[in-house]
Amino acid sequence: MATTVVLDADGFDEERSLDMLPAALLETIMTKLDVASLCSLASTCKTLKSCVSRVLTFTPNFHLFNVSLSMETVRPLLFPNQQLSSLKLDCGRLGNSAIDVLARPSLREISLHNCRDFSGDLISEIGKKCKDLRLLCLGSVAEKVGRTVSRGALEDLLNGCSHLEVCNNAFVSLCPPGGSLLVLALMFDLSLYLRPDDGRIFGLASDKLTHLELGHISSRMMTQLLTSTGQDSGGRALQNVQQLRLSVDCITDAVVKAISNSLSSLIDLDLRDAPLEDPRQLSDLTDFGLQEINQNGKLKRLSLIRSQEFHSAYFRRVSDQGMLFLAGKCLGMESICLGGFCRVTDAGFKTILHSCASLSKFSVYHGPKLTDLVFHDVLATALSLSHVSLRRCHLLTDHAVRNLASNLKLESLDLRGCRNIRDEALQAISHLRKLKVLLLDGTDVSDIGLSYLKEGVWDSLVSLSVRGCRNLTDKFMTTLFDGSSKLALRELDVSNLPNLTDAAVFALAKSGAPITKLQLRECRLIGDPSVMALASTRVYEDECPGSSLCLLDLYDCGGITQLSFKWLKKPFFPRLKWLGITGSVNRDIVDALASRRPHLKVSCRGEELGIDGEDDWDSADIQQHMEAEEDQLEQWILGDEGDVEMEDAEDESDDEGSEEEEEE
């Protein structure tokens, strides 16, 4: 029972219980809290738990992304609530049996991630039941073997959600004053379930649709969809789309032209592909395709990326002339991202920079012909760049970074894979006092270069990555994390550093830096002492040991043994949501840990952990709070059960070790 201690009129201590307060008063206060905070309260005492249970029957919003709930947990939390209007959930542990709980008529916003074990029935039922829906985001639907999505399911969705509208604050920048917004994001491979001529079914979508995001669709289907809706009197469904994000099999002149001609309200265009082979000339993007972009002059953000994920494919038919065509159409653009343009030289990229006076974000991925000359006279422009990414531009040197650093408003700088970047560049970067993100993977920097950051930029950095910078040793960690100041740093990637030892982690732990994401993978000299140090860390005034870490990647760290798993149990690392570890350490203990902490995502195969793409660093404190509170839900669900399975696995492992010693 929760109590408070107060002084009575005579100055003596007096205990007062929360039971003395009216339940209606407590519940009224709780209605102002989010679900994660409610779960935190519920784990403190029986009185608050009872109040929370009642509040959850009428709260309008249920948002939990970092905890994957089971069906046994979801049903009692959601089913009694007939007033739920917004549902955002990680469905990694749910399947078709949860559809009746998730698809409810009262919902106006649905965002469901990791829907691998759902079939197209989920999409169909949402269309049939959620007539007032205004925002829909579904991720990874039917990715599990045996699941599928039918054409009829998509028709049910688009027919049922044909009158949906409202402004959602996640996309508020796209919504006109007093206007409405419908967001539709289907983040799974549609090409697996639809024939090329099935694209016409998107003509059933609401004509108020302003945001459309599709996980994968063939360029032929998209072209056919756009050209057919333009001709069909009843098919102008996409005419008000302002933001379009597509992953296609191959970006072509035809699909770019169809988008430009059909979507007259377009503000944000993001096209990505990853061809399995080199495209033929008639099925590729050329200089003439770039000439078609932004025919209506409203485009503010443009991203054209060709990934080399499956094949070394590039935009081989786009030259500097194409960039000249594009520059003439992008005078008012604020963000441009170009990836895989292997024939474009300094002249082409420079034309873009000098033409876009409003440009704040500029990204080039794998520009093999981009050199320092692009930024030689950047001071002569009116540019005020806040985000610059030059990933895998191998010809860049410190000279280019010095020129870029003259723009003191830089907040994010990505130089991953620029192997000619050395310490002189970091000396220039140290003066960027607004810099929040610095990514230096694979560069040639040293301990001395990293020490320059201490001079100015260190206190503002939120994310630092030096993965694969093989010149680095423990010295840079002891210099940066000397405990002399409170840091804003949340994410640190020091993976694949062959000279990094436990001493570097000791310095980090001692500093009390509020790190939420720490990657140490492939550091062969990192071992059990690092885990013990991190488990015992107290972040500044926080009394909870190891309280800040939400992601810890120890994959292929050579010194990790069975001992580390004793420190990965509760109460240590209470906020940990992702853990990377080498499965061969002891598979039974790994499985037992995953079983004991069901909301901890344990990876043993070396895949990257966590959620990519988050660059709203101003919300870092809020996100950390949310992750802390969500852990209380896990505590509430699991109760006070002991670590029986972990202990059994450890005992078995100890017995096996003893038997081996006796045999020897």
Side-chain angles (χ1 to χ4, degrees), residues 60-79:
N61 302 321
F62 193 98
H63 298 172
L64 277 178
F65 270 143
N66 287 337
V67 177
S68 179
L69 303 178
S70 65
M71 182 60 184
E72 292 74 18
T73 304
V74 167
R75 180 174 289 277
L77 288 176
L78 294 182
F79 196 77

Side-chain angles (χ1 to χ4, degrees), residues 203-215:
L204 301 172
S206 167
D207 60 3
K208 296 180 177 65
L209 187 69
T210 59
H211 174 97
L212 178 62
E213 186 170 358
L214 301 178

Side-chain angles (χ1 to χ4, degrees), residues 217-285:
I217 188 171
S218 72
S219 57
R220 177 184 172 187
M221 184 184 297
M222 196 65 204
T223 303
Q224 181 257 342
L225 158 66
L226 293 170
T227 53
S228 65
T229 55
Q231 296 168 359
D232 185 355
S233 59
R236 298 183 179 180
L238 305 182
Q239 61 182 347
N240 292 315
V241 168
Q242 298 176 19
Q243 185 175 27
L244 180 66
R245 295 184 177 180
L246 301 176
S247 174
V248 297
D249 54 347
C250 186
I251 300 173
T252 66
D253 287 351
V255 73
V256 168
K257 184 176 181 179
I259 290 171
S260 298
N261 291 341
S262 304
L263 308 183
S264 58
S265 301
L266 202 61
I267 295 174
D268 187 332
L269 175 61
D270 185 334
L271 294 178
R272 300 167 184 259
D273 70 7
L276 299 176
E277 58 183 8
D278 288 330
R280 295 173 295 176
Q281 184 168 359
L282 295 178
S283 303
D284 199 5
L285 182 68

Side-chain angles (χ1 to χ4, degrees), residues 177 198 202 207 274 289 391 401 434 495 587 621:
D198 285 341
F202 284 93
D207 60 3
R391 191 173 181 181
V401 178
K434 293 186 177 181
S495 302
R587 189 67 210 184
D621 290 327

Side-chain angles (χ1 to χ4, degrees), residues 281-491:
Q281 184 168 359
L282 295 178
S283 303
D284 199 5
L285 182 68
T286 69
D287 291 338
F288 299 105
L290 290 183
Q291 194 173 10
E292 297 291 337
I293 289 178
N294 200 22
Q295 293 289 340
N296 298 293
K298 296 180 181 179
L299 208 60
K300 297 294 183 183
R301 293 170 288 277
L302 173 66
S303 179
L304 295 172
I305 296 178
R306 174 157 289 173
S307 169
Q308 289 76 49
E309 181 180 359
F310 305 114
H311 178 71
S312 296
Y314 301 91
F315 291 114
R316 302 183 188 278
R317 296 176 177 87
V318 175
S319 64
D320 291 339
Q321 184 180 11
M323 291 294 122
L324 182 62
F325 291 152
L326 180 61
K329 300 290 184 65
C330 63
L331 302 180
M333 285 198 192
E334 300 169 358
S335 173
I336 293 180
C337 180
L338 304 170
F341 290 86
C342 64
R343 289 184 56 204
V344 178
T345 68
D346 291 339
F349 291 121
K350 197 170 183 179
T351 301
I352 296 291
L353 279 177
H354 284 253
S355 300
C356 306
S358 302
L359 200 64
S360 61
K361 297 183 180 181
F362 180 66
S363 302
V364 176
Y365 298 149
H366 201 172
K369 295 189 176 182
L370 186 149
T371 74
D372 297 344
L373 292 176
V374 172
F375 307 101
H376 177 68
D377 54 355
V378 71
L379 279 175
T381 68
L383 290 175
S384 181
L385 296 171
S386 61
H387 294 68
V388 174
S389 178
L390 301 168
R391 191 173 181 181
R392 295 176 64 196
C393 295
H394 301 312
L395 299 182
L396 287 180
T397 70
D398 296 344
H399 183 69
V401 178
R402 283 203 309 272
N403 289 327
L404 273 173
S406 63
N407 181 0
L408 298 179
K409 295 185 178 180
L410 267 181
E411 297 180 15
S412 176
L413 183 58
D414 184 352
L415 298 171
R416 286 177 288 180
C418 298
R419 51 187 176 226
N420 291 314
I421 298 298
R422 298 184 173 86
D423 293 346
E424 190 177 343
L426 291 179
Q427 197 165 17
I429 290 171
S430 67
H431 300 295
L432 299 173
R433 297 185 179 273
K434 293 186 177 181
L435 195 67
K436 297 181 180 181
V437 181
L438 179 59
L439 309 178
L440 299 168
D441 302 12
T443 57
D444 198 29
V445 297
S446 71
D447 294 333
I448 295 175
L450 267 296
S451 69
Y452 292 144
L453 300 181
K454 192 75 174 176
E455 299 173 6
V457 72
W458 186 233
D459 291 341
S460 68
L461 275 183
V462 175
S463 178
L464 173 66
S465 180
V466 291
R467 177 182 294 203
C469 298
R470 304 182 75 81
N471 296 330
L472 297 178
T473 68
D474 293 342
K475 187 175 180 180
F476 89 93
M477 290 283 284
T478 56
T479 301
L480 294 178
F481 297 98
D482 60 0
S484 60
S485 62
K486 283 193 175 183
L487 303 177
L489 198 69
R490 296 292 189 273
E491 300 185 359

